[in-house]
Amino acid sequence: MPDTSNAYAERLSVPWLSWPLPMIGAALMAATVHMGYQGIRSWLPYVILLPLMAFLLFWAGRARVKVADGELRVGDAHLPLEFVGEVEVLDNPHDKRRALGRDFDPAAFVLHRGWIPTALRVHLTDPDDPTPYWIFSTRSPDKLAALLRQNAHTQPGT
């Protein structure tokens, strides 16, 4: 069995180019409150809203995709590689929209980030798991799919 102790790791962070618009929105909200008050209360919205928006943008990108120690970890969920079945790359918007829309199974596990244009659909082979497949965003779907296919075939019992 190949060593998957640190085979793949990715953080689904919000790109820096997406930060200015929400930060400007928070500054405009703070400016609106600033116009209605004088003294310390006029600066309080800036002190609260701008760091809060930065925290929310950072928090939105905290999810990780990782293949390590014989498991696929997506966010807080984990799947042993022995239960990885068919792996589909959703690398164009039409396929991703269809997979998350009309072809979607409500029992599926989803970790979707709209700012990442590509995703993977990983079908599960565990008969005891009611989840039919996982769909999750990734910036390197081909690399991760190849790794999952390789490791799924080398796991014992498959």
Side-chain angles (χ1 to χ4, degrees):
M1 173 166 51
D3 178 32
T4 60
S5 57
N6 229 352
Y8 182 86
E10 171 184 16
R11 184 164 178 239
L12 304 178
S13 57
V14 178
W16 288 104
L17 290 175
S18 298
W19 282 57
L21 194 58
M23 294 301 286
I24 289 170
L28 288 173
M29 287 175 54
T32 302
V33 175
H34 173 90
M35 288 189 280
Y37 293 101
Q38 295 178 352
I40 190 72
R41 291 185 299 174
S42 66
W43 293 102
L44 198 55
Y46 295 103
V47 173
I48 294 172
L49 291 176
L50 292 175
L52 178 64
M53 182 56 67
F55 172 75
L56 289 175
L57 289 168
F58 180 77
W59 183 78
R62 79 189 192 295
R64 294 184 184 274
V65 175
K66 185 176 182 180
V67 175
D69 302 324
E71 287 187 330
L72 168 63
R73 294 185 171 271
V74 178
D76 294 332
H78 60 91
L79 173 69
L81 291 177
E82 65 189 77
F83 297 123
V84 171
E86 180 186 353
V87 179
E88 295 177 59
V89 175
L90 306 172
D91 58 355
N92 67 53
H94 179 70
D95 291 343
K96 186 175 173 184
R97 187 171 36 252
R98 176 182 275 163
L100 292 170
R102 79 170 188 207
D103 293 345
F104 183 70
D105 185 338
F109 169 79
V110 177
L111 189 124
H112 175 254
R113 297 296 186 247
W115 55 86
I116 300 175
T118 55
L120 278 184
R121 179 173 18 203
V122 177
H123 293 269
L124 279 58
T125 60
D126 185 2
D128 297 329
D129 194 342
T131 307
Y133 56 83
W134 286 13
I135 293 181
F136 55 93
S137 298
T138 177
R139 289 187 176 92
S140 305
D142 294 320
K143 178 182 174 185
L144 182 55
L147 180 67
L148 290 174
R149 288 177 187 131
Q150 172 194 358
N151 285 311
H153 294 299
T154 58
Q155 292 297 318
T158 58

